[in-house]
């Protein structure tokens, strides 16, 4: 007779004394079933006389059925494939217990040489599979999980084995080779230094973001070189842009995509453009000329060199010069301005 709602009553009648086999069920998923077992023997001597005796055999405990299962997810939004179980190197996995069978203890052996982990029913464990470093092939590990119901012999434990595929880590890196800082546009070459798995079964996609609002440039060549021309519209300041490269590798066997992104800062110098205006460019000697270069663009620290016919000399953005001429014929004097900014770029203007 079941002592709670976890069991089902069982009665066996036999005409002779002998061994009997009875299956005691447990319909609960996590609670033990308790049965009270008794034995009654009867002897019929005559229609009027029957003798019987009852023996209480005590209580029998029946454990719930052990069902060992878990749900695998990637921590932090990483990618994971369930069938087959595959993960990108460095992604942390969470194994969320979904087992039934009462009080359980579980041992996790991830097969990669790391320490064993222990858990109980309802608890989760986390593990990070790392690829050993050879980028030309996947790493494969045999994960073993041993689950045991508390209170039962060790021989009743359930052992499960699962193969895990670990794809090589993708590392997005690139070099930057700026061109002439004084050129307009300012050209820069970028070369990827991809560390990942080159294989016919792996599709590689590189996406360049040049940080200036231009469209993303994509490539399927792992060692791709990209070139981009920058134009800085600010009159005095360098433009800081963030250049990014995202590398994504899709593995045909598992359908899993491993990705990595890398960013670096780049400074785009302003374009140097000299503005020169002057008054009284013609007249009788002596002629005083007022020169103005305040409209010059291309830096915050500009050096002005003026040439009034005797070679370049330093000055400011606004200068005055008096031309003297004592001959009896007209004469043309040069008026030139050379500007140098803090980036070492020079530009000239003349009138």
């Amino acid at each position: 007779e079941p002592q709670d709602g976890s069991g089902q009553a069982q009665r066996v009648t036999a005409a002779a004394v002998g061994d009997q086999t009875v299956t005691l069920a447990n319909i609960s998923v996590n609670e033990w079933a308790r049965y009270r077992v008794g034995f009654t023997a009867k002897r019929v001597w005559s229609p009027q006389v029957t003798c019987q005796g009852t023996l209480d055999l005590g209580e029998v405990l029946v454990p719930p059925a052990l069902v060992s299962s878990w749900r695998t997810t990637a921590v932090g939004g990483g990618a994971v494939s369930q069938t087959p179980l595959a993960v990108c190197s460095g992604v942390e996995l969470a194994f969320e217990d979904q087992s039934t069978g009462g009080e359980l203890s579980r041992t996790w052996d991830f097969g990669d040489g790391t320490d064993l982990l222990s858990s109980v029913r309802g608890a989760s464990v986390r593990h990070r599979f790392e690829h050993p470093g050879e980028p030309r092939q996947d790493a494969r590990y045999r994960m073993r999980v041993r689950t045991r119901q508390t209170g039962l012999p060790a021989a009743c434990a359930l052992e499960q084995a699962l193969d895990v595929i670990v794809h090589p880590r993708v590392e997005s890196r690139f070099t930057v080779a700026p061109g002439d800082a004084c050129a307009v546009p300012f050209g820069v070459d970028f070369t990827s230094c991809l560390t990942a798995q080159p294989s016919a079964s792996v599709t590689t996609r590189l996406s360049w973001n040049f940080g200036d609002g231009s469209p993303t440039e994509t490539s399927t060549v792992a060692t791709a070189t990209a070139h981009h021309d920058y134009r800085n519209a600010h009159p005095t300041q360098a433009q800081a842009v963030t250049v990014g490269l995202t590398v994504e590798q899709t593995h045909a066997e598992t359908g899993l995509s491993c990705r990595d992104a890398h960013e670096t800062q780049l400074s785009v110098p302003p374009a140097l453009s000299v503005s020169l205006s002057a008054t009284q460019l013609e007249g009788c000697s002596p002629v005083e000329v007022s020169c103005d270069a305040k409209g010059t663009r291309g830096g915050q620290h500009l050096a002005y060199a003026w040439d009034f016919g005797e070679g370049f000399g330093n000055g400011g953005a606004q200068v005055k010069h008096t031309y003297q001429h004592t001959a009896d014929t007209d004469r043309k004097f040069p008026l030139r301005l050379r500007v140098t900014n803090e980036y070492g770029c020079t530009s000239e203007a003349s009138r």
Side-chain angles (χ1 to χ4, degrees):
E1 293 289 341
Q3 302 301 295
D4 53 30
S6 301
Q8 297 173 326
Q10 302 286 333
R11 287 179 173 83
V12 178
T13 301
V17 177
D19 293 338
Q20 299 293 330
T21 300
V22 178
T23 301
L24 300 180
N26 184 348
I27 60 176
S28 173
V29 293
N30 286 313
E31 300 297 330
W32 287 59
R34 296 176 178 271
Y35 283 87
R36 196 75 187 182
V37 181
F39 172 68
T40 300
K42 292 183 179 182
R43 177 67 179 268
V44 180
W45 295 98
S46 68
Q48 294 78 25
V49 179
T50 299
C51 299
Q52 74 174 35
T54 299
L55 177 65
D56 184 2
L57 299 180
E59 193 175 62
V60 176
L61 299 180
V62 180
L66 173 58
V67 179
S68 176
S69 66
W70 58 84
R71 176 173 174 261
T72 305
T73 59
V75 178
V80 59
S81 168
Q82 301 292 342
T83 308
L85 181 58
V87 66
C88 302
S89 179
V91 174
E92 187 177 27
L93 296 182
F95 299 92
E96 304 172 10
D97 180 61
Q98 297 180 333
S99 302
T100 58
E103 296 299 322
L104 306 177
S105 62
R106 176 175 284 156
T107 302
W108 301 80
D109 181 358
F110 297 102
D112 56 359
T114 56
D115 294 337
L116 303 182
L117 294 181
S118 298
S119 65
V120 296
R121 184 174 65 85
S124 298
V125 298
R126 292 187 177 188
H127 185 70
R128 192 187 305 274
F129 286 97
E130 296 287 355
H131 192 277
E134 171 52 53
R136 297 186 177 275
Q137 60 186 6
D138 296 325
R140 298 176 184 269
Y141 301 107
R142 173 60 64 92
M143 188 174 82
R144 300 181 185 275
V145 182
R146 189 172 188 270
T147 307
R148 177 184 173 185
Q149 289 174 292
T150 303
L152 291 181
C156 298
L158 176 63
E159 295 196 7
Q160 298 162 280
L162 184 66
D163 290 325
V164 182
I165 301 173
V166 182
H167 296 307
R169 182 186 297 272
V170 176
E171 293 186 355
S172 171
R173 298 291 182 268
F174 58 91
T175 60
V176 181
D180 184 1
C182 303
V184 180
F186 175 52
V188 183
D189 290 321
F190 305 94
T191 303
S192 68
C193 309
L194 177 63
T195 300
Q197 182 176 4
S199 170
S201 62
V202 178
T203 301
T204 301
R205 178 184 175 89
L206 286 77
S207 299
W208 295 92
N209 180 359
F210 298 110
D212 59 352
S214 60
T216 299
E217 184 176 312
T218 61
S219 171
T220 57
V221 180
T223 56
T225 297
H227 178 86
H228 190 69
D229 290 328
Y230 289 91
R231 289 175 170 82
N232 183 357
H234 197 280
T236 60
Q237 297 180 0
Q239 177 187 10
V241 296
T242 301
V243 183
L245 172 62
T246 300
V247 179
E248 184 176 61
Q249 288 203 316
T250 303
H251 300 261
E253 179 183 359
T254 62
L256 193 63
S257 293
C258 302
R259 66 188 301 274
D260 186 44
H262 177 67
E263 293 181 344
T264 191
Q265 298 294 314
L266 179 68
S267 179
V268 180
L272 181 58
S273 175
V274 177
S275 172
L276 172 60
S277 63
T279 62
Q280 194 70 21
L281 293 178
E282 182 178 1
C284 300
S285 179
V287 177
E288 184 181 71
V289 179
S290 296
C291 303
D292 190 344
K294 291 187 66 176
T296 298
R297 302 156 57 97
Q300 293 180 303
H301 305 284
L302 303 177
Y304 300 86
W306 299 89
D307 179 12
F308 299 106
E310 299 176 349
F312 285 100
N314 295 330
Q318 293 177 308
V319 297
K320 291 183 178 181
H321 182 75
T322 301
Y323 286 93
Q324 301 283 350
H325 180 44
T326 57
D328 55 3
T329 57
D330 293 342
R331 180 182 175 184
K332 291 184 178 182
F333 291 87
L335 172 56
R336 294 191 298 167
L337 170 63
R338 177 183 296 161
V339 180
T340 304
N341 64 13
E342 62 266 38
Y343 306 99
C345 305
T346 60
S347 182
E348 292 188 8
S350 63
R351 295 296 304 270

